[in-house]
């Protein structure tokens, strides 16, 4: 099983978001506390809980990497999303371009994707997607490893 990290590519933008949320927490608390101190306290507690959750989610991105198993690709984004794709379903893997593809399942969250996995058939689930986009720390290594795994799987008896 080959693993590929994505936290170095996605986490910095989420840390910026956490910083902006911290500023918002202080500003809203100060502004609302002039008129309604109790409402300001409630808003601050809700914002603080959201900020703690965001920091926990950023920290969680280090653990579950994107993995290429002998028979499937397991694409993850922290605790947010996990997609298992059999290697037989993968038509191609490429570096993502600058165009924005709204039909793709974007696992890069707020970052711009750098890899695109094309599928032979749409994924089952809430949203049928024929492409999966992600932002990985080593996109070229991932593309080479996935193409190698697909060709090995085809030679060993998987359906191309």
């Amino acid at each position: 099983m080959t693993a590929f990290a994505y936290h170095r590519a996605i986490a910095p933008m989420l840390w910026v978001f956490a910083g902006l949320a911290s500023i918002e927490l202080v500003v809203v608390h100060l502004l609302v506390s002039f008129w309604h101190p109790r409402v300001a306290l409630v808003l601050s507690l809700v914002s603080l809980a959201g900020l703690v959750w965001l920091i926990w989610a950023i920290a969680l991105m280090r653990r579950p990497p994107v993995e290429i198993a002998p028979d499937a690709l397991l694409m993850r984004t922290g605790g947010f999303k996990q997609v298992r794709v059999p290697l037989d379903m993968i038509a191609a893997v490429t570096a993502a371009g600058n165009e924005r593809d709204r039909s793709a399942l974007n696992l890069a969250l707020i970052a711009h994707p750098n890899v695109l996995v094309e599928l032979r058939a749409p994924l089952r689930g809430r949203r049928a997607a024929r492409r999966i986009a992600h932002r990985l720390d080593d996109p070229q290594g991932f593309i080479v490893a996935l193409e190698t795994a697909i060709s090995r799987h085809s030679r060993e008896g998987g359906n191309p």
Side-chain angles (χ1 to χ4, degrees), residues 16-78:
V16 168
F17 186 65
L20 292 173
S22 300
I23 293 168
E24 179 266 343
L25 171 74
V26 172
V27 170
V28 168
H29 177 79
L30 290 175
L31 289 176
V32 175
S33 66
F34 286 126
W35 296 282
H36 303 285
R38 288 187 178 151
V39 172
L41 180 64
V42 170
L43 286 176
S44 295
L45 290 175
V46 170
S47 293
L48 186 61
L51 184 60
V52 168
W53 177 86
L54 179 60
I55 292 169
W56 172 81
I58 295 169
L60 187 64
M61 286 191 177
R62 290 181 168 267
R63 287 193 211 136
V66 170
E67 295 177 334
I68 301 173
D71 64 337
L73 169 65
L74 188 57
M75 297 191 83
R76 299 176 174 125
T77 302

Side-chain angles (χ1 to χ4, degrees), residues 3-12 14-15 54-67 76-81 109 134-137:
F4 292 90
Y6 50 85
H7 67 276
R8 278 183 245 120
I10 296 176
L14 290 175
W15 280 116
L54 179 60
I55 292 169
W56 172 81
I58 295 169
L60 187 64
M61 286 191 177
R62 290 181 168 267
R63 287 193 211 136
V66 170
E67 295 177 334
R76 299 176 174 125
T77 302
F80 297 112
K81 188 81 172 168
L109 300 178
H134 208 319
R135 179 153 191 99
L136 302 176
D137 294 345

Side-chain angles (χ1 to χ4, degrees), residues 1-2 4 67-73 85-88 90 93 141-159:
M1 196 173 309
T2 309
F4 292 90
E67 295 177 334
I68 301 173
D71 64 337
L73 169 65
V85 181
L87 293 180
D88 297 342
I90 299 174
V93 58
F142 172 77
I143 290 169
V144 169
L146 185 56
E147 287 173 343
T148 303
I150 291 169
S151 65
R152 185 181 312 124
H153 182 70
S154 296
R155 282 193 314 268
E156 293 175 357
N159 297 328

